[in-house]
Amino acid sequence: PPDKIRFPAETLRTVAAWLHTHEGGGSKANAASKELPPCVLFFSVDGVLAKRAKSNAGAESNAAGLEAVPSAFGVDENCIRELARVVEESGAELVLTASWRGSEEAKAAFGAVLGARGLFSSRAVTMNDLPGGLASQILHFTGQAAIDRWAVVDADEFDLFGGKNLNELSMMQTVLQARCMRTDAATGLDAATADELIKILTTEEEDD
């Protein structure tokens, strides 16, 4: 059997600090969570945190459509900083949507990458095959977790809706479309996109 993945002590301390902050440590993010209900940012890696040339966009999956475990995530530090700013200003939990999220090995390795940069993500959307593609998997998560405030960030070349045209979307898929920010895969998450995500995540919807 393969050896257990070992994490540096500094990474473990970073994760512990994140948990303390989000469970009552008194940071800016914690203050935001007291003012508004909990929120979630659904995020991918390829084309969001790891820049990709247009010809390489979609590298998260292999040609057969199977989950691919990336050997190197190649995250861009500027993109990571923008993600950290979104988390800091909104208090959002990060939930993974990358196509390789079904691999515990890949999730653990990427968790170490995030942890070394002061970020934390322990959950991912379902891998169950649902009609409507990734959009339905994200909506399944929001329904199960009863989340009111959420946003999605993904690269502009990925199909969230299982091949559906925009005029074929359900009401909830249309809601998702309105809460989704798409990045240029060659640029990744930039300041303008991060600003829009913060706006979505920190705006409390009025009750009907």
Side-chain angles (χ1 to χ4, degrees):
D3 293 336
K4 292 183 179 179
I5 297 175
R6 298 175 182 269
F7 298 105
E10 181 60 31
T11 297
L12 296 176
R13 284 194 291 269
T14 300
V15 171
W18 186 96
L19 289 171
H20 173 71
T21 291
H22 285 69
E23 292 176 2
S27 72
K28 184 175 180 180
N30 190 54
S33 68
K34 288 180 179 178
E35 296 170 2
L36 292 170
C39 65
V40 163
L41 176 61
F42 298 97
F43 77 107
S44 191
V45 178
D46 200 28
V48 176
L49 301 180
K51 297 179 181 180
R52 294 285 181 265
K54 292 294 185 181
S55 59
N56 291 331
E60 287 182 338
S61 300
N62 61 26
L66 302 176
E67 299 167 45
V69 178
S71 57
F73 294 100
V75 297
D76 180 87
E77 297 301 331
N78 289 328
C79 297
I80 286 282
R81 278 192 288 272
E82 291 301 332
L83 181 67
R85 183 165 68 88
V86 174
V87 171
E88 177 69 14
E89 296 195 22
S90 68
E93 175 189 356
L94 295 175
V95 175
L96 187 66
T97 63
S99 61
W100 41 262
R101 63 189 181 276
S103 165
E104 293 301 323
E105 176 188 357
K107 285 193 295 184
F110 186 66
V113 170
L114 288 181
R117 292 160 176 81
L119 294 168
F120 181 75
S121 176
S122 65
R123 294 200 284 177
V125 300
T126 181
M127 289 295 296
N128 292 342
D129 187 14
L130 301 177
L134 179 58
S136 295
Q137 293 168 330
I138 292 172
L139 291 170
H140 175 269
F141 187 104
T142 64
Q144 292 291 312
I147 297 166
D148 293 323
R149 289 191 305 133
W150 52 274
V152 182
V153 60
D154 208 333
D156 58 5
E157 295 191 0
F158 295 112
D159 175 22
L160 293 177
F161 300 102
K164 288 185 177 181
N165 296 321
L166 293 183
N167 60 359
E168 299 174 321
L169 301 183
S170 68
M171 181 180 70
M172 286 305 298
Q173 287 174 330
T174 302
V175 169
L176 185 146
Q177 176 71 11
R179 297 189 186 196
C180 181
M181 297 301 302
R182 310 304 291 267
T183 62
D184 182 326
T187 304
L189 181 60
D190 58 17
T193 305
D195 286 342
E196 291 301 315
L197 289 168
I198 292 168
K199 187 183 301 182
I200 294 170
L201 291 167
T202 57
T203 300
E204 190 169 22
E205 294 187 355
E206 296 181 359
D207 295 331
D208 294 334

